[in-house]
C-alpha cells in the first residue's frame, strides 16, 4: 500500500511539473458503456478508483478493438509525456495496450507509437510514458483484450494527463514563445531549445552543422557570431 502511494505521489509531481494539455481539446472513444463519458478521463480526481461517471469506459461486448482518443483544439502540440491511471484491480484489461501520437484520427492509429505494453506480465495501472513527439491526437489503443476472460478489449481510463505545450510555445505554463530562429517555430517545451535546429538562412551559403549548430562557413553579410543557438548571427546593424 505504501509503495502504491509513493508511486502515485511521484506521478502527480510529474504532472504538476509539466503543463497538462487536456483542457485544450476533446476526448472520444470507440463505444460508450452505460453513462460513461470519454472526457471524464481528463478531469479530477487523479485516482485509479472506478465509477462509471468518473472514468472513461467502453463496452464489454467482445469487440475486436477498443480505443480512447484526444484531439487538441489547436493545430499541433509537442507532447513530452503522458500519464495514465487505469481502473484499480483490472490491470489485465490493459494487457498489450498501445499509446500513439498521430496527425489523424484513423483507427487503427497510423502515427507515432509512443509505447506498447510488452509481454510477458500485466502492466502497472499507473504509468508515466515519455513521448517527445509532435502531433494532433493522442490515442490509447487496444486490440488484444483481456486474455483471462476473452471478453475482448476494454478501455477503463480513470485519469489521463497529456503533458507538453502547443507547438511554438514553451515553459512550465507554455507562456514563452519559441525563438523565431527555430526551424518551423518549433522548440522543446521544457527548455525552449530548437527541436529541428535553427534557421540556417543566416548562415553563409546555408551551411551549418545540425549536430553542433555551428555556421560552418560563417554568417551572411550584416550578421555576426558563429554558433547557431538561436541568438547566433545577431544583426550588427
Amino acid at each position: 500500500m505504501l509503495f502504491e502511494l509513493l508511486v502515485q505521489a511521484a506521478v502527480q509531481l510529474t504532472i504538476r511539473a509539466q503543463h497538462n494539455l487536456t483542457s485544450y481539446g476533446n476526448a472520444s472513444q470507440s463505444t460508450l458503456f452505460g453513462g460513461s463519458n470519454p472526457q471524464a478521463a481528463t478531469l479530477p480526481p487523479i485516482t485509479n478508483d472506478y465509477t462509471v461517471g468518473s472514468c472513461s469506459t467502453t463496452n464489454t461486448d467482445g469487440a475486436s478493438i477498443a480505443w480512447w482518443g484526444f484531439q487538441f483544439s489547436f493545430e499541433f502540440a509537442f507532447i513530452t509525456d503522458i500519464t495514465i491511471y487505469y481502473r484499480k484491480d483490472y490491470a489485465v484489461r490493459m494487457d498489450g495496450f498501445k499509446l500513439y501520437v498521430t496527425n489523424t484520427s484513423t483507427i487503427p492509429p497510423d502515427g507515432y507509437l509512443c509505447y506498447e505494453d510488452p509481454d510477458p506480465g500485466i502492466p502497472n495501472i499507473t504509468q508515466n510514458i515519455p513521448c517527445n513527439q509532435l502531433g494532433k491526437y493522442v490515442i490509447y489503443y487496444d486490440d488484444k483484450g483481456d486474455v483471462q476472460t476473452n471478453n475482448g478489449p476494454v478501455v477503463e481510463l480513470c485519469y489521463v494527463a497529456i503533458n507538453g505545450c502547443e507547438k511554438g510555445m514553451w515553459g512550465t505554463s507554455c507562456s514563452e514563445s519559441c525563438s523565431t530562429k527555430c526551424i518551423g517555430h518549433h522548440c522543446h517545451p521544457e527548455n525552449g531549445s530548437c527541436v529541428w535546429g535553427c534557421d540556417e538562412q543566416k548562415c553563409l551559403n546555408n551551411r551549418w552543422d545540425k549536430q553542433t549548430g555551428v555556421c560552418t562557413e560563417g554568417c551572411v553579410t550584416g550578421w555576426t557570431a558563429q554558433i547557431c543557438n538561436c541568438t547566433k548571427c545577431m544583426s550588427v546593424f
Side-chain angles (χ1 to χ4, degrees):
M1 180 64 179
L2 177 60
F3 176 75
E4 289 183 1
L5 290 173
L6 289 172
V7 169
Q8 291 197 12
V11 172
Q12 289 186 33
L13 284 172
T14 301
I15 292 171
R16 285 193 289 269
Q18 296 293 317
H19 192 59
N20 184 359
L21 300 176
T22 55
S23 297
Y24 309 99
N26 293 290
S28 57
Q29 62 191 46
S30 51
T31 58
L32 293 174
F33 175 81
S36 69
N37 177 2
Q39 203 73 25
T42 68
L43 304 173
I46 303 174
T47 180
N48 303 100
D49 294 335
Y50 177 84
T51 67
V52 172
S54 65
C55 299
S56 168
T57 311
T58 60
N59 286 332
T60 56
D61 57 2
S64 60
I65 64 168
W67 57 267
W68 178 92
F70 188 87
Q71 179 181 6
F72 298 104
S73 56
F74 36 75
E75 187 176 12
F76 286 102
F78 187 87
I79 299 156
T80 56
D81 59 277
I82 300 168
T83 299
I84 57 175
Y85 283 72
Y86 201 85
R87 181 180 181 178
K88 186 177 180 180
D89 299 325
Y90 281 81
V92 66
R93 290 183 173 177
M94 294 178 72
D95 193 25
F97 81 92
K98 303 178 182 73
L99 195 61
Y100 290 87
V101 173
T102 74
N103 291 331
T104 72
S105 57
T106 301
I107 299 294
D110 60 358
Y112 178 77
L113 179 62
C114 287
Y115 182 79
E116 180 175 4
D117 176 55
D119 284 328
I122 302 301
N124 293 325
I125 58 173
T126 303
Q127 296 195 34
N128 179 256
I129 298 169
C131 280
N132 290 307
Q133 185 67 24
L134 191 69
K136 297 181 178 181
Y137 300 84
V138 169
I139 300 174
Y140 177 104
Y141 181 78
D142 189 354
D143 58 2
K144 182 176 181 180
D146 184 344
V147 295
Q148 293 184 1
T149 63
N150 294 318
N151 282 335
V154 179
V155 175
E156 295 175 299
L157 294 170
C158 291
Y159 187 75
V160 178
I162 303 170
N163 303 310
C165 286
E166 179 182 1
K167 180 178 178 287
M169 306 300 291
W170 71 281
T172 54
S173 60
C174 298
S175 59
E176 302 290 333
S177 181
C178 296
S179 170
T180 56
K181 295 186 178 70
C182 289
I183 294 175
H185 198 219
H186 179 33
C187 68
H188 197 281
E190 291 180 344
N191 55 28
S193 62
C194 296
V195 175
W196 295 331
C198 294
D199 186 347
E200 70 273 24
Q201 293 179 4
K202 303 298 185 295
C203 291
L204 188 64
N205 299 321
N206 288 342
R207 299 294 298 274
W208 64 297
D209 187 318
K210 292 186 179 181
Q211 298 299 317
T212 64
V214 172
C215 293
T216 53
E217 297 182 12
C219 297
V220 297
T221 302
W223 297 77
T224 186
Q226 188 182 39
I227 302 299
C228 175
N229 61 4
C230 297
T231 58
K232 63 95 185 177
C233 292
M234 300 298 293
S235 175
V236 297
F237 300 112

